């Protein structure tokens, strides 16, 4: 009877945990769908950016990335004032503004909207990290992140597949009109994001109605920004910074130089391969992270990235489109690994308050990406590929040092301090017994 009762109790607990996971999965799935709709429009627009405006595209990308980097330092404060829901909505609304500017044909409006997109992107993605951490609450981080990215990354497939179909069937479409249509889709996605479910613990946090005075708020913002900057000097963050920088420079290679390796008619197919691989790898990466930890992902990152750049070199040398398409798929898988590895590591190392580390991540990542886009027109694809390959090796070494040296040392020091506290407690008990 006792064994039967214990078994039933264990099964009841397991059912409750499965129920919580199902609810979390549904919440994350809706967020993934809302983000996906928004970025169907955004991904199509950003793929057309270089085609429609080759003279200012790299400059525009650099503005976006640099603004994201700078604004990321202040986003934890902004997010704490607006709350999760309105921070996501305000960040999302910057995207249809950027997409709509591409339909105007005005270069100054496009560059101004790039700055707006940089602000919105910083707020959206830092808040997204906080939102996922809040929903997960330390449980199944990799799985829930994988569900989000699996659904979200289908935007790359839907958008690029649509363009590929148009080219395949020989349908003539005025590319300059696509941003106008996508602006409407972007607005729908932004308002869908407004409907994301917020965990109960976050519903009572103060938002725009916060009654604190301006000087008090300014002081808080200054201190929080200082803390975020100081966090960049944390040994853990310094070791992770190689991964952040690698993700930024990889993005500048994928969206800046890689499309130039093929004809404009093949760009949509190139990104279709990229999107399919990134989507399929997203959920698999989350499962692997939860099941096996960081080691398998960092090993996969090492192998996939170096193989991709080697295949690109072979494709350029031989003129093989299949090689370049295959390398694009590998880089899509690597992007999925980056996202899960970064999100999972930050949420594991900073469980109490994940906003500052996500802000520090965006700061370092965006500055690296901005620098990559800025210098891309001045260097060859080979130079950036070699830099990224070296960064892959450095990232692998830094992860090993982080987990095998830095974190082990901090755990050992924590155990030592616990032992000392216990020894002091025992000595005080002995003194009390001796005194009595």
């Amino acid at each position: 009877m006792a064994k039967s009762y214990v078994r039933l109790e264990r099964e009841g607990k397991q059912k409750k945990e499965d129920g919580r996971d199902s609810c979390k999965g549904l919440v994350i799935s809706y967020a993934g769908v809302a983000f996906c709709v928004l970025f169907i429009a955004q991904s199509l627009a950003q793929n057309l950016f270089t085609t429609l405006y080759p003279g200012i595209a790299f400059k525009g990308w650099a503005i976006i990335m640099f603004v994201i980097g700078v604004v990321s330092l202040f986003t934890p404060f902004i997010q704490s004032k607006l709350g999760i829901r309105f921070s996501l909505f305000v960040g999302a609304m910057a995207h249809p503004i950027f997409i709509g500017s591409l339909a105007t044909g005005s270069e100054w409006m496009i560059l101004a909207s790039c700055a707006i997109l940089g602000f919105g992107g910083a707020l959206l993605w830092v808040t997204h990290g906080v939102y996922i951490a809040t929903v997960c609450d330390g449980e199944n981080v990799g799985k829930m992140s994988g569900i989000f990215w699996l659904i979200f990354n289908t935007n790359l497939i839907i958008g690029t597949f649509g363009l590929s179909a148009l080219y395949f069937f020989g349908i003539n479409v005025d590319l300059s009109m696509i941003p106008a249509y996508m602006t409407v889709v972007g607005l729908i996605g932004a308002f869908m994001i407004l409907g994301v479910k917020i965990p109960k613990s976050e519903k009572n946090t103060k938002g725009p109605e916060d009654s604190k005075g301006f000087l008090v708020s300014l002081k808080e913002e200054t201190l929080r920004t200082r803390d975020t900057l100081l966090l960049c000097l944390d040994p853990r963050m310094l070791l992770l910074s190689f991964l952040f920088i690698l993700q930024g420079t990889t993005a500048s290679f994928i969206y800046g130089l890689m499309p130039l390796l093929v004809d404009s008619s093949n760009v949509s197919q190139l990104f279709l391969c990229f999107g399919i691989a990134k989507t399929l790898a997203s959920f698999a990466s989350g499962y692997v992270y939860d099941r096996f930890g960081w080691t398998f992902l960092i090993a996969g990152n090492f192998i996939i990235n170096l193989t991709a750049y080697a295949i690109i070199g072979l494709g350029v040398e031989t003129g093989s489109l299949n090689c370049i398409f295959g390398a694009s798929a590998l880089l899509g898988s690597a992007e999925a690994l980056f996202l899960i590895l970064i999100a999972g590591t930050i949420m594991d190392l900073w469980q109490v308050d994940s906003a500052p580390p996500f802000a520090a991540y965006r700061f370092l990542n965006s500055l690296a990406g901005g620098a990559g886009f800025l210098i891309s027109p001045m260097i060859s694809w080979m130079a950036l590929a070699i830099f990224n390959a070296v960064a892959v090796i450095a990232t692998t070494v830094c992860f090993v040092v982080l987990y095998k040296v830095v974190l082990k040392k901090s755990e050992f020091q924590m155990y030592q301090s616990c032992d000392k506290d216990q020894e002091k407690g025992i000595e005080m008990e002995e003194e009390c017994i001796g005194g009595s």
Side-chain angles (χ1 to χ4, degrees):
M1 286 292 291
K3 288 183 179 179
S4 178
Y5 175 76
V6 170
R7 181 172 58 81
L8 289 171
E9 187 178 22
R10 189 182 299 120
E11 288 177 356
K13 287 181 179 178
Q14 185 62 44
K15 286 181 180 178
K16 285 183 179 179
E17 289 177 3
D18 292 342
R20 283 199 301 268
D21 284 349
S22 297
C23 290
K24 289 178 181 178
L26 290 172
V27 170
I28 295 293
S29 296
Y30 175 79
V33 171
F35 273 73
C36 178
V37 172
L38 175 66
F39 277 83
I40 287 172
Q42 177 65 26
S43 62
L44 266 176
Q46 68 188 27
N47 290 344
L48 289 172
F49 191 15
T50 306
T51 304
L52 296 175
Y53 303 98
I56 61 168
F58 283 102
K59 190 186 298 182
W61 278 115
I63 290 172
I64 292 168
M65 300 302 284
F66 280 127
V67 172
I68 287 176
V70 174
V71 174
S72 292
L73 296 173
F74 306 98
T75 47
F77 175 80
I78 299 170
Q79 182 266 314
S80 68
K81 295 298 178 187
L82 292 177
I84 289 178
R85 186 190 306 280
F86 288 104
S87 294
L88 289 173
F89 178 66
V90 171
M93 282 300 296
H95 294 74
I97 291 173
F98 165 74
I99 299 167
S101 73
L102 297 182
T104 65
S106 171
E107 291 190 359
W108 73 266
M109 284 186 69
I110 293 170
L111 292 177
S113 71
C114 286
I116 294 171
L117 180 61
F119 172 83
L123 186 58
L124 180 69
W125 288 111
V126 170
T127 307
H128 160 266
V130 176
Y131 177 69
I132 298 294
T134 304
V135 173
C136 292
D137 197 22
E139 298 176 351
N140 295 326
V141 171
K143 178 182 177 182
M144 295 304 162
S145 295
I147 289 172
F148 175 85
W149 291 113
L150 173 67
I151 297 170
F152 169 78
N153 286 327
T154 55
N155 79 80
L156 295 167
I157 299 175
I158 294 169
T160 51
F161 182 78
L163 276 182
S164 297
L166 293 176
Y167 282 119
F168 181 79
F169 290 108
I171 300 173
N172 293 322
V173 177
D174 185 0
L175 294 180
S176 62
M177 290 301 297
I178 291 179
Y181 301 133
M182 288 302 104
T183 301
V184 178
V185 177
L187 286 169
I188 293 170
F191 280 98
M192 286 179 67
I193 286 174
L194 190 60
V196 296
K197 183 174 175 59
I198 307 298
K200 290 180 181 178
S201 60
E202 291 295 314
K203 286 184 179 178
N204 296 324
T205 54
K206 291 183 178 180
E209 74 278 7
D210 194 352
S211 59
K212 291 182 180 178
F214 173 76
L215 291 178
V216 174
S217 296
L218 185 62
K219 183 179 179 182
E220 283 183 356
E221 180 181 5
T222 304
L223 291 173
R224 199 173 179 90
T225 304
R226 184 202 64 183
D227 291 342
T228 303
L229 283 170
L230 289 176
L231 186 60
C232 294
L233 302 177
D234 184 298
R236 297 169 297 177
M237 190 60 71
L238 287 173
L239 290 168
L240 288 173
S241 64
F242 284 89
L243 176 60
F244 303 159
I245 292 169
L246 173 61
Q247 189 196 22
T249 55
T250 300
S252 62
F253 180 86
I254 292 169
Y255 297 107
L257 292 177
M258 190 171 70
L260 302 178
L261 300 178
V262 299
D263 293 333
S264 58
S265 59
N266 292 316
V267 170
S268 58
Q269 296 174 18
L270 183 75
F271 281 108
L272 182 61
C273 295
F274 174 83
I276 291 172
K278 187 175 179 180
T279 301
L280 294 176
S282 295
F283 186 74
S285 300
Y287 176 80
V288 169
Y289 184 85
D290 278 340
R291 189 77 182 270
F292 303 106
W294 63 274
T295 49
F296 276 72
L297 290 191
I298 203 68
N301 173 65
F302 181 85
I303 295 168
I304 291 171
N305 273 286
L306 294 185
T307 304
Y309 290 118
I311 292 176
I312 286 177
L314 179 64
V316 172
E317 188 69 25
T318 60
S320 171
L321 273 177
N322 289 331
C323 283
I324 297 177
F325 288 160
S328 176
L330 287 174
L331 289 175
S333 301
E335 272 277 290
L337 292 182
F338 287 150
L339 294 168
I340 300 297
L341 195 56
I342 289 169
T345 304
I346 287 177
M347 284 186 254
D348 282 343
L349 297 184
W350 289 276
Q351 294 182 6
V352 177
D353 185 8
S354 57
F358 271 113
Y361 149 58
R362 283 292 166 189
F363 172 68
L364 295 169
N365 166 265
S366 300
L367 290 184
F373 279 113
L374 203 59
I375 65 172
S376 288
M378 303 177 239
I379 61 174
S380 66
W381 72 266
M382 179 68 77
L384 189 53
I386 291 173
F387 176 87
N388 287 347
V390 173
V392 168
I393 298 169
T395 297
T396 306
V397 173
C398 287
F399 255 80
V400 173
V401 172
L402 173 65
Y403 278 94
K404 298 298 183 182
V405 179
V406 175
L407 295 181
K408 290 286 184 184
K409 184 178 178 181
S410 62
E411 286 177 8
F412 178 72
Q413 290 173 344
M414 184 179 69
Y415 289 138
Q416 276 190 324
S417 64
C418 289
D419 290 339
K420 288 179 181 179
D421 290 340
Q422 287 179 352
E423 288 175 3
K424 287 181 181 179
I426 292 169
E427 289 175 1
M428 290 177 67
E429 285 182 7
E430 290 176 350
E431 288 177 1
C432 289
I433 292 170
S436 60

mmCIF file of all heavy atoms in Angstrom, residues 118-139:
data_model
loop_
_atom_site.group_PDB
_atom_site.id
_atom_site.type_symbol
_atom_site.label_atom_id
_atom_site.label_comp_id
_atom_site.label_asym_id
_atom_site.label_seq_id
_atom_site.Cartn_x
_atom_site.Cartn_y
_atom_site.Cartn_z
ATOM 1 N N GLY A 118 16.814 50.327 -34.940
ATOM 2 C CA GLY A 118 17.834 49.962 -33.958
ATOM 3 C C GLY A 118 17.319 50.081 -32.538
ATOM 4 O O GLY A 118 17.523 49.186 -31.712
ATOM 5 N N PHE A 119 16.602 51.181 -32.262
ATOM 6 C CA PHE A 119 16.001 51.357 -30.932
ATOM 7 C C PHE A 119 14.974 50.263 -30.653
ATOM 8 O O PHE A 119 14.981 49.619 -29.598
ATOM 9 C CB PHE A 119 15.333 52.734 -30.840
ATOM 10 C CG PHE A 119 14.529 52.922 -29.582
ATOM 11 C CD1 PHE A 119 15.143 53.311 -28.401
ATOM 12 C CD2 PHE A 119 13.156 52.686 -29.575
ATOM 13 C CE1 PHE A 119 14.406 53.469 -27.229
ATOM 14 C CE2 PHE A 119 12.409 52.845 -28.418
ATOM 15 C CZ PHE A 119 13.040 53.233 -27.244
ATOM 16 N N GLY A 120 14.076 50.043 -31.628
ATOM 17 C CA GLY A 120 13.033 49.038 -31.446
ATOM 18 C C GLY A 120 13.588 47.629 -31.330
ATOM 19 O O GLY A 120 13.121 46.830 -30.507
ATOM 20 N N GLY A 121 14.605 47.327 -32.138
ATOM 21 C CA GLY A 121 15.215 45.997 -32.078
ATOM 22 C C GLY A 121 15.852 45.722 -30.729
ATOM 23 O O GLY A 121 15.729 44.621 -30.182
ATOM 24 N N ALA A 122 16.539 46.732 -30.184
ATOM 25 C CA ALA A 122 17.160 46.570 -28.859
ATOM 26 C C ALA A 122 16.098 46.294 -27.797
ATOM 27 O O ALA A 122 16.229 45.371 -26.984
ATOM 28 C CB ALA A 122 17.957 47.823 -28.501
ATOM 29 N N LEU A 123 15.039 47.099 -27.808
ATOM 30 C CA LEU A 123 13.985 46.944 -26.805
ATOM 31 C C LEU A 123 13.255 45.608 -26.974
ATOM 32 O O LEU A 123 12.969 44.911 -25.996
ATOM 33 C CB LEU A 123 12.995 48.103 -26.917
ATOM 34 C CG LEU A 123 11.894 48.180 -25.851
ATOM 35 C CD1 LEU A 123 12.483 48.269 -24.454
ATOM 36 C CD2 LEU A 123 10.978 49.373 -26.122
ATOM 37 N N LEU A 124 12.971 45.241 -28.226
ATOM 38 C CA LEU A 124 12.222 44.008 -28.493
ATOM 39 C C LEU A 124 12.996 42.771 -28.044
ATOM 40 O O LEU A 124 12.457 41.918 -27.337
ATOM 41 C CB LEU A 124 11.916 43.910 -29.993
ATOM 42 C CG LEU A 124 11.131 42.664 -30.429
ATOM 43 C CD1 LEU A 124 9.698 42.719 -29.916
ATOM 44 C CD2 LEU A 124 11.148 42.520 -31.955
ATOM 45 N N TRP A 125 14.275 42.694 -28.413
ATOM 46 C CA TRP A 125 15.002 41.446 -28.172
ATOM 47 C C TRP A 125 15.525 41.317 -26.750
ATOM 48 O O TRP A 125 15.620 40.202 -26.223
ATOM 49 C CB TRP A 125 16.109 41.278 -29.202
ATOM 50 C CG TRP A 125 15.537 40.946 -30.543
ATOM 51 C CD1 TRP A 125 15.529 41.738 -31.656
ATOM 52 C CD2 TRP A 125 14.833 39.755 -30.902
ATOM 53 N NE1 TRP A 125 14.871 41.110 -32.685
ATOM 54 C CE2 TRP A 125 14.424 39.886 -32.247
ATOM 55 C CE3 TRP A 125 14.497 38.587 -30.217
ATOM 56 C CZ2 TRP A 125 13.715 38.891 -32.914
ATOM 57 C CZ3 TRP A 125 13.786 37.598 -30.880
ATOM 58 C CH2 TRP A 125 13.405 37.757 -32.208
ATOM 59 N N VAL A 126 15.865 42.421 -26.110
ATOM 60 C CA VAL A 126 16.230 42.329 -24.690
ATOM 61 C C VAL A 126 14.997 41.928 -23.870
ATOM 62 O O VAL A 126 15.065 41.067 -22.989
ATOM 63 C CB VAL A 126 16.824 43.663 -24.174
ATOM 64 C CG1 VAL A 126 16.967 43.627 -22.657
ATOM 65 C CG2 VAL A 126 18.190 43.913 -24.813
ATOM 66 N N THR A 127 13.845 42.530 -24.192
ATOM 67 C CA THR A 127 12.610 42.184 -23.488
ATOM 68 C C THR A 127 12.198 40.750 -23.803
ATOM 69 O O THR A 127 11.680 40.040 -22.931
ATOM 70 C CB THR A 127 11.468 43.141 -23.878
ATOM 71 O OG1 THR A 127 11.901 44.487 -23.677
ATOM 72 C CG2 THR A 127 10.239 42.893 -23.025
ATOM 73 N N HIS A 128 12.431 40.320 -25.033
ATOM 74 C CA HIS A 128 12.145 38.920 -25.389
ATOM 75 C C HIS A 128 12.926 37.965 -24.497
ATOM 76 O O HIS A 128 12.377 36.959 -24.017
ATOM 77 C CB HIS A 128 12.503 38.669 -26.857
ATOM 78 C CG HIS A 128 12.714 37.220 -27.191
ATOM 79 N ND1 HIS A 128 13.968 36.639 -27.181
ATOM 80 C CD2 HIS A 128 11.841 36.232 -27.485
ATOM 81 C CE1 HIS A 128 13.852 35.360 -27.485
ATOM 82 N NE2 HIS A 128 12.579 35.091 -27.671
ATOM 83 N N GLY A 129 14.204 38.255 -24.262
ATOM 84 C CA GLY A 129 15.008 37.403 -23.383
ATOM 85 C C GLY A 129 14.443 37.352 -21.972
ATOM 86 O O GLY A 129 14.371 36.284 -21.344
ATOM 87 N N VAL A 130 14.032 38.521 -21.459
ATOM 88 C CA VAL A 130 13.432 38.594 -20.120
ATOM 89 C C VAL A 130 12.114 37.820 -20.096
ATOM 90 O O VAL A 130 11.807 37.103 -19.133
ATOM 91 C CB VAL A 130 13.200 40.066 -19.717
ATOM 92 C CG1 VAL A 130 12.486 40.156 -18.374
ATOM 93 C CG2 VAL A 130 14.530 40.812 -19.653
ATOM 94 N N TYR A 131 11.325 37.947 -21.166
ATOM 95 C CA TYR A 131 10.014 37.274 -21.248
ATOM 96 C C TYR A 131 10.175 35.754 -21.217
ATOM 97 O O TYR A 131 9.488 35.057 -20.461
ATOM 98 C CB TYR A 131 9.301 37.703 -22.530
ATOM 99 C CG TYR A 131 7.978 37.010 -22.751
ATOM 100 C CD1 TYR A 131 6.889 37.274 -21.923
ATOM 101 C CD2 TYR A 131 7.808 36.093 -23.788
ATOM 102 C CE1 TYR A 131 5.661 36.640 -22.128
ATOM 103 C CE2 TYR A 131 6.598 35.456 -23.997
ATOM 104 C CZ TYR A 131 5.531 35.736 -23.159
ATOM 105 O OH TYR A 131 4.334 35.098 -23.351
ATOM 106 N N ILE A 132 11.087 35.222 -22.034
ATOM 107 C CA ILE A 132 11.315 33.770 -22.070
ATOM 108 C C ILE A 132 11.809 33.286 -20.706
ATOM 109 O O ILE A 132 11.357 32.260 -20.192
ATOM 110 C CB ILE A 132 12.338 33.405 -23.164
ATOM 111 C CG1 ILE A 132 11.810 33.795 -24.556
ATOM 112 C CG2 ILE A 132 12.652 31.909 -23.112
ATOM 113 C CD1 ILE A 132 10.603 33.035 -25.016
ATOM 114 N N ALA A 133 12.735 34.046 -20.087
ATOM 115 C CA ALA A 133 13.254 33.660 -18.766
ATOM 116 C C ALA A 133 12.138 33.667 -17.727
ATOM 117 O O ALA A 133 12.083 32.804 -16.848
ATOM 118 C CB ALA A 133 14.372 34.611 -18.355
ATOM 119 N N THR A 134 11.227 34.644 -17.827
ATOM 120 C CA THR A 134 10.120 34.747 -16.871
ATOM 121 C C THR A 134 9.139 33.593 -17.023
ATOM 122 O O THR A 134 8.692 33.005 -16.034
ATOM 123 C CB THR A 134 9.375 36.085 -17.061
ATOM 124 O OG1 THR A 134 10.309 37.167 -16.950
ATOM 125 C CG2 THR A 134 8.291 36.260 -16.011
ATOM 126 N N VAL A 135 8.812 33.256 -18.266
ATOM 127 C CA VAL A 135 7.885 32.151 -18.511
ATOM 128 C C VAL A 135 8.496 30.817 -18.086
ATOM 129 O O VAL A 135 7.844 29.997 -17.440
ATOM 130 C CB VAL A 135 7.483 32.097 -20.006
ATOM 131 C CG1 VAL A 135 6.650 30.850 -20.293
ATOM 132 C CG2 VAL A 135 6.703 33.338 -20.391
ATOM 133 N N CYS A 136 9.766 30.606 -18.429
ATOM 134 C CA CYS A 136 10.436 29.340 -18.092
ATOM 135 C C CYS A 136 10.638 29.186 -16.582
ATOM 136 O O CYS A 136 10.502 28.093 -16.037
ATOM 137 C CB CYS A 136 11.786 29.251 -18.790
ATOM 138 S SG CYS A 136 11.672 29.084 -20.577
ATOM 139 N N ASP A 137 10.976 30.304 -15.913
ATOM 140 C CA ASP A 137 11.229 30.282 -14.467
ATOM 141 C C ASP A 137 12.257 29.214 -14.088
ATOM 142 O O ASP A 137 12.094 28.490 -13.097
ATOM 143 C CB ASP A 137 9.918 30.050 -13.710
ATOM 144 C CG ASP A 137 10.024 30.413 -12.233
ATOM 145 O OD1 ASP A 137 10.922 31.201 -11.893
ATOM 146 O OD2 ASP A 137 9.230 29.893 -11.429
ATOM 147 N N GLY A 138 13.309 29.118 -14.884
ATOM 148 C CA GLY A 138 14.410 28.203 -14.581
ATOM 149 C C GLY A 138 14.183 26.764 -14.994
ATOM 150 O O GLY A 138 15.046 25.913 -14.768
ATOM 151 N N GLU A 139 13.040 26.441 -15.612
ATOM 152 C CA GLU A 139 12.736 25.062 -15.991
ATOM 153 C C GLU A 139 12.682 24.911 -17.512
ATOM 154 O O GLU A 139 12.050 25.704 -18.197
ATOM 155 C CB GLU A 139 11.386 24.630 -15.407
ATOM 156 C CG GLU A 139 11.344 24.636 -13.877
ATOM 157 C CD GLU A 139 9.965 24.291 -13.354
ATOM 158 O OE1 GLU A 139 9.022 24.222 -14.177
ATOM 159 O OE2 GLU A 139 9.828 24.083 -12.137
#
